[in-house]
């Protein structure tokens, strides 16, 4: 054969090899869990939902089983919707399933400081997690109780004065509570710039990070080289980064200034500054750790409470039963206290049912595997992105009777709300808080905020559905009544809210007036407008 002939054959052989390689990209490797059919190169990208990902994941879960896989280019994603596999794999083998995937967008937004979202399992994550847990222990949560209690009273007082703004009152309440305990500054009104700035940034982050909302840059890294004019996500990240940094760094600096001037008020950031060297933290890490607490603690409780009110307004029969129970235990001449909760089984069932009906983080946060594992006879390679499909578990009709119906009774007739005959060996009460080593560190604080507010709101008010997103209030609540995103909550709605009696309204006003000394500990930096608001509200 001549030299040119040899070269020609070599090129043909190389071309065939590359072609075969390209055809293999995107195809499901043998041994992976089943899933929807793939296309060469793309894998399942063309079928990936751009919003309400958990709804499609739940449909695929029913079609392909409690564990299924998706191919995104050469990357692999595994979705688990079976409580037994969550327990056997994500919980029991959490040393190899609790890292986080590389999320370039979060890295760009947070300069690599997005602890909850991108910290891989390792020494940095360990010290950040140890630090945040100091703020969330049983003892620390006991210390937060006084401000937690009075912020909950302000939620009642605000609702009494402006019932039509319940939605924003709940947001103010939770954000102000976490701002006070973490950064040492409270927000007496919603219009306060810190609350509105935070909520705005947070909504942008959640929308940007919903899987499917932007091209899969992490699973197809070549996409990061697409010029900005065709890659809108780059500008979005830059914009969010600037806003978020200004907020967290500003709050951190205010706390530092207060410490310098000897005006401490026991906030979490003070502890972090005091133990900065022992914990190995930089000033930027401290600011972003405060930010992580704010993100984790406020948005989640807000969403649960807004869903709770929506369910009460749309289910008058449930509300009437809850009113009856709280009246028998608490009566009308005092406000509920935390100790009452254990005597209110129906209210406890309502709280669980709200978590089940629409979990705040429907697919949890993504995990990443750090070693090859066999799971239920399938091969899960190292580097797989793992999702625990919380919504899919809670809405599986093989596990729950009429899962689309809001029905707290299911938690009175069985421990986990499951239908008769279901094997509950893999169940636990806190699926909605995630799994393995990454399980939410704020369970205690989150639970207390929810218990306190659910009791208070039911004790004080009647909620009646009038106009749910401009649709007939009698139509059952749908998933489209909720926002899309990694963390979700109901879209704004209006409901008619009335105090249950004059006596209860008077108790709320009197408790609010007595709360002033506790509020004032966190009001060092109020603007003149806020001072004026506090004086006249
Ligand atoms: C209703 C209340 C809450 C719900 C439903 C909730 C839910 C979750 C979920 C599903 C995760 C992901 C877990 C995983 O990756 O498997 C998570 C993580 C996290 N949550 Fe919560 N959460 C709540 C309250 C809180 C509170 C009050 C805080 C703190 C102030 C908090 C701070 C965090 C942090 C820092 C992480 C990341 C942990 C890590 O990556 O190691 N959360 N939460």
């Amino acid at each position: 054969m001549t030299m040119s002939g040899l070269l020609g054959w070599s090129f043909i052989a190389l071309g065939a090899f590359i072609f075969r390689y390209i055809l293999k990209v995107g195809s499901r490797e043998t041994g992976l869990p089943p899933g929807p059919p793939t296309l060469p190169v793309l894998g399942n990208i063309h079928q990936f939902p751009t919003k309400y990902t958990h709804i499609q994941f739940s449909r695929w879960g029913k079609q392909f089983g409690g564990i299924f896989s998706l191919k995104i280019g050469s990357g692999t994603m595994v979705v688990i919707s079976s409580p037994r596999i969550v327990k056997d794999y994500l919980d029991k083998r959490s040393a190899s399933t609790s890292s986080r995937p590389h999320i370039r967008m979060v890295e760009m937004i947070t300069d690599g400081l997005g602890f909850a979202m991108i910290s891989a399992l390792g020494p940095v994550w360990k010290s950040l997690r140890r630090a945040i847990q100091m703020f969330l222990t049983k003892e620390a949560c006991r210390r937060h109780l006084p401000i937690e209690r009075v912020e909950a009273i302000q939620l009642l007082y605000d609702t009494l004065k402006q019932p039509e703004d319940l939605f924003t009152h709940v947001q103010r309440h939770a954000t102000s509570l976490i701002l006070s305990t973490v950064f040492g500054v409270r927000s007496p009104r919603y219009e306060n710039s810190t609350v509105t700035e935070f909520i705005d940034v947070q909504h942008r982050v959640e929308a940007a990070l919903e899987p499917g909302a932007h091209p899969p840059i992490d699973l197809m890294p070549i996409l990061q080289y697409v010029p900005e004019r065709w890659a809108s996500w780059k500008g979005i990240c830059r914009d969010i980064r600037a806003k978020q940094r200004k907020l967290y760094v500003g709050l951190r600096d205010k706390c530092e200034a207060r410490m310098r001037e000897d005006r401490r008020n026991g906030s979490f950031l003070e502890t972090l500054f005091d133990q900065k060297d022992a914990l190995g933290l930089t000033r930027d890490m401290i600011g972003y750790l405060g930010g992580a607490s704010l993100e984790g603690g406020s948005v989640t409780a807000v969403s649960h409470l807004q869903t709770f009110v929506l369910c009460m307004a749309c289910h008058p029969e449930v509300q009437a039963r809850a009113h009856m129970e709280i009246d028998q235990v608490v009566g009308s001449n005092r406000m509920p206290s935390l100790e009452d909760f254990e005597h209110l089984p129906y209210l406890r069932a309502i709280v669980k049912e709200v978590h089940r009906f629409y979990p705040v983080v429907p697919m949890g946060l993504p995990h990443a595997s750090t070693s090859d594992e066999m799971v239920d006879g399938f091969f899960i390679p190292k580097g797989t992105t793992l999702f625990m499909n919380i919504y899919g578990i809670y809405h599986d009709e093989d596990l729950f009777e009429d899962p689309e119906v809001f029905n707290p009774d299911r938690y009175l007739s069985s421990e986990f709300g499951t239908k008769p005959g279901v094997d509950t060996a893999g169940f636990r009460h806190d699926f909605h808080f995630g799994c393995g080593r990454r399980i939410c560190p704020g369970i205690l604080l989150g639970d207390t905020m929810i218990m306190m507010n659910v009791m208070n709101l039911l004790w004080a008010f009647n909620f009646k559905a009038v106009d749910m997103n401009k649709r007939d209030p009698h139509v059952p609540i749908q998933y489209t009544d909720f926002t899309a995103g990694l963390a979700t909550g109901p879209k704004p709605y209006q409901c008619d809210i009335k105090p249950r009696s004059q006596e209860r309204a008077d108790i709320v006003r009197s408790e609010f007036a007595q709360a002033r000394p506790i509020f004032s500990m966190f009001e060092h930096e109020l603007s003149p407008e806020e001072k004026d608001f506090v004086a006249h509200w």
Side-chain angles (χ1 to χ4, degrees), residues 100 115-117 119 125 129 132 135-136 178 182 292-298 300-301 304 355 360-361 363-367 388 390 431-443 445-447 449-450:
R100 294 276 190 225
F115 146 66
M117 288 299 294
S119 259
W125 171 78
R129 176 103 186 180
I132 205 164
F135 161 65
L136 297 163
I178 306 285
V182 172
S293 318
L294 195 56
E295 291 158 20
S298 69
T300 47
H304 186 281
H355 278 305
V360 174
V361 197
M363 300 182 303
L365 298 181
H367 288 215
M388 172 185 176
I390 302 172
F431 280 146
H432 41 273
F433 285 110
C435 54
R437 296 186 185 186
R438 294 313 271 250
I439 198 165
C440 175
I443 297 180
L445 181 61
D447 276 350
M449 285 166 80
I450 288 168

Side-chain angles (χ1 to χ4, degrees), residues 7-29:
L7 262 177
W9 279 109
S10 306
F11 274 124
I12 290 172
L14 185 67
F17 176 79
I18 293 173
F19 186 65
R20 271 192 59 198
Y21 175 78
I22 289 175
L23 280 190
K24 274 181 83 178
V25 172
S27 70
R28 181 171 287 104
E29 292 88 355

Side-chain angles (χ1 to χ4, degrees), residues 222-268:
I222 193 155
L223 291 171
Q224 66 187 296
Y225 302 109
V226 175
E228 188 161 340
R229 72 189 127 134
W230 293 304
S232 61
W233 56 271
K234 291 189 180 177
I236 292 175
C237 287
R238 206 169 340 94
D239 178 48
I240 300 176
R241 179 193 176 278
K243 291 190 162 80
Q244 194 181 61
R245 197 174 164 77
K246 182 169 162 254
L247 185 66
Y248 295 164
V249 166
L251 285 163
R252 177 203 66 190
D253 292 350
K254 272 188 191 167
C255 177
E256 248 184 329
R258 224 178 300 121
M259 287 171 77
R260 272 197 306 274
E261 291 156 19
D262 238 357
R263 290 187 290 120
R264 289 173 173 247
N265 55 12
S267 71
F268 174 45

